[in-house]
Amino acid sequence: MDSALSFSAADLAQTRFAVSPMWEVVTSFRLLRNDNPPSLHRRWADQVRPRVRAAGLDRGRLAALVPARGYLADFLTPTPAGPFPTLEGELDAIERTPAEQIARDLETLGITTRNPPGNPPANPPANPPGNPPGTTPAPLAGLRDELLTYWELALAPYWARIRGLLEADVFHRARQVAEHGSARVLGELHETVRWDDGTLRLVRRACALTRDQAGSGLLLIPSAFAWPRVLTRSVAPDPPQLAYPARGIGNLWEPRTTSTATEAVAGVLGRSRALLLAELDTPASTTQLATVLPLSAAAVSQHLTALRHAGLVTAHRSGRSVLYARTAVADALLCPDATDSPARTDSPTRTDSPLEPR
């Protein structure tokens, strides 16, 4: 099936980009439900899947709302309020979703409001339309906690890296709009998307995307986990959303720390702390770090505390342990080439040059 989304001058004027944490939650969780994830994400999936299963998230509400294939509940990806919304802001928007839309999405998934996802049958139906302030629709009870847990286990330790990739994509395409116009940018998003005389055409689609199904404008959402396809959301009166693979995802999980940068940082922070930061190219616990470095667990803990206070690492609870991850500031110190230059484009999407329509 092919789709055609028509554009007026007003629609073009209201076309914008946004980096959405919830789109990354949904697409990454679906990827983990695949026993054989794409090779470009396997390193991440191998680290994260055991944590997600240990937390029981593979059999809870989120698992029911994000099946391995097919329809995704539209209310999980609300319209971003700005270019860089926070996860908390998007979770608040989910909880403000009208009960009718929630019921409609659940029905499409084969879930009823009397049998909330991931729970035994319950008597109370969804809240009345308009969801009173401070309340959560019954089918969503507990979902926010699951989403926050998943974020902490699967995405927060890697967010500096992921967000850097997504922001680089937005800045690149914004520059392309300024230099070449919107038509060229829309035509280069993905091999299944092309711009044709005032219409955005999507080929080989499982569902239609037309202007009468959605509001005005268009929201373009770069994603680290949507590859190899584009995903859409069309819920009137919201603007339609199109999530597409970000540039450079083929290099997202490659080791980035260089020995030259580590030695330079060691001259400022000391060798032990520089080695710790270098090892945190992949998030790790105190015990894991003490195993691979010539430091005791107590010394690792002391150094991590100092680095955390300096804004160079963050801590994320994972069951009984704590995972430590580098911040964007630390990445800038240890990976100057990755942070000072645009994202590389030798990835499966190859959006650095015009794509021939198929």
Side-chain angles (χ1 to χ4, degrees):
M1 176 190 299
D2 293 356
S3 294
L5 186 67
S6 60
F7 275 75
S8 65
D11 290 320
L12 274 177
Q14 295 178 63
T15 296
R16 61 185 177 91
F17 290 88
V19 170
S20 167
M22 274 308 303
W23 267 108
E24 298 311 286
V25 167
V26 170
T27 53
S28 64
F29 190 84
R30 167 165 280 188
L31 183 148
L32 288 177
R33 304 208 66 188
N34 186 341
D35 291 333
N36 187 29
S39 58
L40 66 95
H41 287 303
R42 192 161 295 146
R43 183 171 180 234
W44 169 85
D46 289 346
Q47 295 169 26
V48 168
R49 184 179 281 116
R51 303 175 207 157
V52 171
R53 287 177 174 169
L57 295 176
D58 58 331
R59 53 189 181 275
R61 295 171 178 82
L62 184 56
L65 294 171
V66 183
R69 60 188 59 83
Y71 175 74
L72 294 169
D74 287 322
F75 67 79
L76 288 177
T77 50
T79 301
F84 303 108
T86 64
L87 177 66
E88 289 288 346
E90 293 198 307
L91 293 178
D92 290 344
I94 289 173
E95 293 185 342
R96 292 194 298 268
T97 305
E100 298 97 326
Q101 182 188 335
I102 295 173
R104 186 167 56 249
D105 290 356
L106 295 183
E107 183 179 2
T108 303
L109 286 166
I111 302 170
T112 68
T113 55
R114 290 182 176 273
N115 185 14
N119 272 345
N123 292 323
N127 286 339
N131 302 332
T135 67
T136 301
L140 304 191
L143 177 61
R144 187 185 187 111
D145 289 340
E146 282 198 17
L147 290 168
L148 287 170
T149 299
Y150 177 75
W151 177 266
E152 195 70 6
L153 295 176
L155 293 179
Y158 309 89
W159 188 239
R161 181 182 292 222
I162 295 171
R163 176 167 172 148
L165 175 84
L166 303 181
E167 288 183 348
D169 181 276
V170 170
F171 295 147
H172 167 79
R173 298 189 194 276
R175 186 170 64 248
Q176 291 292 93
V177 169
E179 294 177 356
H180 305 289
S182 299
R184 175 166 170 174
V185 172
L186 291 171
E188 294 182 0
L189 290 172
H190 190 264
E191 62 182 6
T192 63
V193 179
R194 67 176 184 266
W195 179 257
D196 180 17
D197 193 24
T199 300
L200 190 68
R201 301 190 183 279
L202 291 78
V203 301
R204 302 195 301 273
R205 297 288 303 155
C207 56
L209 177 65
T210 58
R211 183 61 66 186
D212 59 3
Q213 295 175 327
S216 58
L218 176 67
L219 263 171
L220 297 169
I221 314 286
S223 173
F225 298 97
W227 185 87
R229 61 186 61 85
V230 295
L231 300 171
T232 59
R233 178 187 189 269
S234 181
V235 179
D238 297 341
Q241 297 184 38
L242 191 152
Y244 62 91
R247 302 169 68 249
I249 56 173
N251 308 302
L252 178 59
W253 306 117
E254 289 184 359
R256 300 171 300 166
T257 304
T258 65
S259 57
T260 301
T262 303
E263 290 300 325
V265 171
V268 179
L269 299 180
R271 184 163 184 78
S272 294
R273 291 176 182 174
L275 290 174
L276 272 173
L277 287 176
E279 196 63 36
L280 286 176
D281 192 60
T282 297
S285 66
T286 299
T287 302
Q288 291 170 327
L289 291 168
T291 301
V292 298
L293 293 173
L295 297 169
S296 67
V300 169
S301 179
Q302 182 179 10
H303 288 309
L304 287 173
T305 298
L307 292 170
R308 186 179 181 186
H309 289 163
L312 297 176
V313 302
T314 54
H316 309 274
R317 174 66 59 180
S318 176
R320 296 181 179 180
S321 63
V322 175
L323 289 175
Y324 291 89
R326 286 199 314 234
T327 65
V329 175
D331 278 345
L333 293 173
L334 289 160
C335 320
D337 291 340
T339 54
D340 291 343
S341 60
R344 288 169 56 189
T345 56
D346 50 339
S347 69
T349 52
R350 294 296 310 218
T351 54
D352 53 322
S353 60
L355 294 171
E356 292 298 326
R358 295 183 178 179

